[in-house]
Amino acid sequence: PTPLPPPPTPSIFSSSGPPLPPPPHPSPLPPCPFPPPGLQGSLLPLNLTPATWPELEAALPHVRPGGTWRPTFCQPLHRVAVLIPYSDRDWHLRVLLQHLHRLLQKQLLDYSIYVAENIVTSEEFNRGAMFNVGFVEALKDRAFDCVILHDVD
């Protein structure tokens, strides 16, 4: 007998793929409210003076190493990966992260931020390749409901 072909690989561009598996253990937490409270109004005053890396870590004590956060009082409705291609823009990255973390936390998302750094010594920066690398690495960690492609500036 001929073996059956493997099932089609779900596309990131369609929602026709198989559903995500349930969490291994039911969460004792209630679902996060939708829409999350407090989404209206300003997040913070826009601050274009970047914090230092130690200041950022101190300001975001609940962000786990690797840029991951989830609410502790409710079960998030969405798992989100944010991919950021990066090359020699430390100032921009620090400004982005000091605002992006707070924005994502206000939405009560279970999120991880992946910064794909271009380490090739040539002057060419292949943004698309950095997104591809970030996507592959993110999916090695866990499944996501949404992947956001975000520039550092």
Side-chain angles (χ1 to χ4, degrees), residues 90-140:
D90 182 70
W91 183 88
H92 289 94
L93 183 59
R94 287 183 287 132
V95 169
L96 173 65
L97 292 177
Q98 73 188 16
H99 294 288
L100 185 59
H101 278 289
R102 296 197 192 283
L103 176 68
L104 295 171
Q105 289 174 11
K106 201 170 187 180
Q107 297 176 57
L108 301 179
L109 299 171
D110 177 355
Y111 72 86
S112 295
I113 297 176
Y114 295 85
V115 178
E117 184 172 8
N118 184 38
I119 57 172
V120 178
T121 57
S122 73
E123 292 183 24
E124 274 192 42
F125 176 66
N126 189 333
R127 181 175 166 264
M130 295 296 98
F131 279 134
N132 288 343
V133 167
F135 184 78
V136 168
E137 292 302 313
L139 292 184
K140 287 180 184 177

Side-chain angles (χ1 to χ4, degrees), residues 33-109:
F34 184 80
L39 282 184
Q40 293 183 340
S42 68
L43 181 63
L44 290 172
L46 184 61
N47 181 1
L48 296 179
T49 303
T52 64
W53 289 111
E55 289 170 342
L56 270 176
E57 287 181 21
L60 302 165
H62 301 294
V63 175
R64 293 189 304 252
T68 298
W69 182 88
R70 67 178 298 146
T72 57
F73 57 88
C74 63
Q75 180 65 34
L77 302 177
H78 303 286
R79 292 172 292 196
V80 177
V82 181
L83 312 180
I84 303 170
Y86 170 77
S87 181
D88 286 337
R89 301 190 98 178
D90 182 70
W91 183 88
H92 289 94
L93 183 59
R94 287 183 287 132
V95 169
L96 173 65
L97 292 177
Q98 73 188 16
H99 294 288
L100 185 59
H101 278 289
R102 296 197 192 283
L103 176 68
L104 295 171
Q105 289 174 11
K106 201 170 187 180
Q107 297 176 57
L108 301 179
L109 299 171

